[in-house]
Amino acid sequence: MDFTIPENYRMMAETVRKFVERELEPISQKVEEEDKIPEEVVQKMRELGLFGLSIPEEYGGLGLGVLGECLVYEELSKTNACFRTRIGTNNGIGSQGIVIDGTEEQKRKYLPKIASGEWTACFALTEPEAGSDAAAIRTRAELKGDHWVINGRKHFITNGDIADVATVFAVTDPEKRARGGITAFIVERTFPGYHVGTIEKKMGLRGSHTAELIFEDCIVPKENVIGGDAMIGQGFKTAMKVLDRGRLTMGACAVGAAQKLLDLSVRYAKQRVQFGRPIAEFQAIQFMLADMATQIYAARQMLYHAAWLRDTTGAPVTKEAAMVKLFCTEMVNRVADMAVQIHGGMGYMKDYPIERFYRDVRLMRIYEGTSEIQRLVIARQLLREYE
Ligand SMILES: Cc1cc2nc3c(=O)[nH]c(=O)nc-3n(C[C@H](O)[C@H](O)[C@H](O)COP(=O)(O)OP(=O)(O)OC[C@H]3O[C@@H](n4cnc5c(N)ncnc54)[C@H](O)[C@@H]3O)c2cc1C
């Protein structure tokens, strides 16, 4: 086993670590209060190449492998989660449909704008009646002459309010649905019939918006089916491939946030004095710190291994990715709970970041596939292996 992290990945992660410390962390509470990332900070993120981490170099991105992207996400997740979410859709769910299954022409047309951050991309699968059961989507696309007409409503779409382009999943054959009847489209915000609906009010992740997207006789050119005519009806498979990759990077966000919570907790435990001594001297506190560190260590190893496996074999690593998402996101929730406990009343106060992390990490067990859905994916694969 070779655990060496490539030099270019280490350097990129180090650059991002400094950027987080110098530029993002000092404004993290302000962004929380104002629910908005300042445009000049977004511009700095563009200059660092953060919008194109995963996009191949030939289309203007940095072309990092999954491991490289995970290392960057780990660093970015040590501050307000909205910063990672701002670049997350461009690197992940918003671009990967095109990267994985797009035609050469689609890649040339869209990826450079997404990689540079000139455009924001989003992923529109979920609907009010179709969450975990994504195959139950109702949004309909019908071919009329040389264009498709899309009608339907998506909700909970990350960056939906600011996106310039969306990967939209719609039913093209109601009989076949997930088995050849769902198609993925590239839909630009300026296409007629594309509307942004309500911006949803969330428990956390302030600074990042989640919105409804409404399609009313939305006109989409024929050539905007991801992958072209041959991929009509194959959109569900595209969605699953995109989500597979995202599960690994979500694991990295969990590990980064957990590490930050541990760092804050150790420092606090060493300086907070009760009964005449730092609380770090109490075994009850030490045990929580030890459990946090151990769980982070385990999560990080499985994350790096699965990312390395995917980078070196090119295989989808579906089971491992689901395990990573499940374990790492559940781990960070346990760690956040212990962090609140170690901080006592301070952990519950808004002046301090612990409370924000506690709310923000809760989402990780829900989006891009809930913990229950990850367990289903793992179990299905496992049972197949024993056939
Ligand atoms: C802040 C936020 C951002 C999001 N961003 C996006 C985005 O950018 N694009 C997008 O398309 N979607 C997005 N989503 C949607 C997200 O992926 C869904 O919320 C998630 O998949 C769960 O769907 P649901 O909310 O409808 O819950 P449901 O599917 O209704 O689930 C409710 C509960 O039932 C459980 N459950 C459901 N089915 C089963 C089963 N078969 N076995 C056991 N338990 C089950 C679930 O695990 C959960 O506990 C976002 C959601 C949030 C909250």
Side-chain angles (χ1 to χ4, degrees), residues 89 93 122-128 130-133 155-158 202 205 210 363 366-373 376:
T89 52
I93 54 178
C122 73
F123 175 87
L125 176 64
T126 305
E127 298 178 6
S132 300
D133 185 9
H155 78 166
F156 298 169
I157 307 306
T158 302
K202 308 188 289 336
L205 204 60
T210 307
L363 174 61
I366 298 171
Y367 70 170
E368 298 199 23
T370 63
S371 289
E372 292 71 32
I373 295 303
L376 283 182

Side-chain angles (χ1 to χ4, degrees), residues 4 30 34 54 127 137 174 199 206 228 232 302 323 365:
T4 318
K30 180 174 176 286
E34 296 176 2
S54 65
E127 298 178 6
I137 57 169
I199 294 179
R206 288 176 60 75
I232 294 173
M302 77 187 287
M323 287 173 162
R365 285 158 59 193

Side-chain angles (χ1 to χ4, degrees), residues 319 373-385:
K319 185 180 73 180
I373 295 303
Q374 305 310 321
R375 288 188 174 93
L376 283 182
V377 171
I378 298 161
R380 273 191 204 130
Q381 290 267 331
L382 195 64
L383 294 173
R384 240 178 261 147
E385 285 167 20

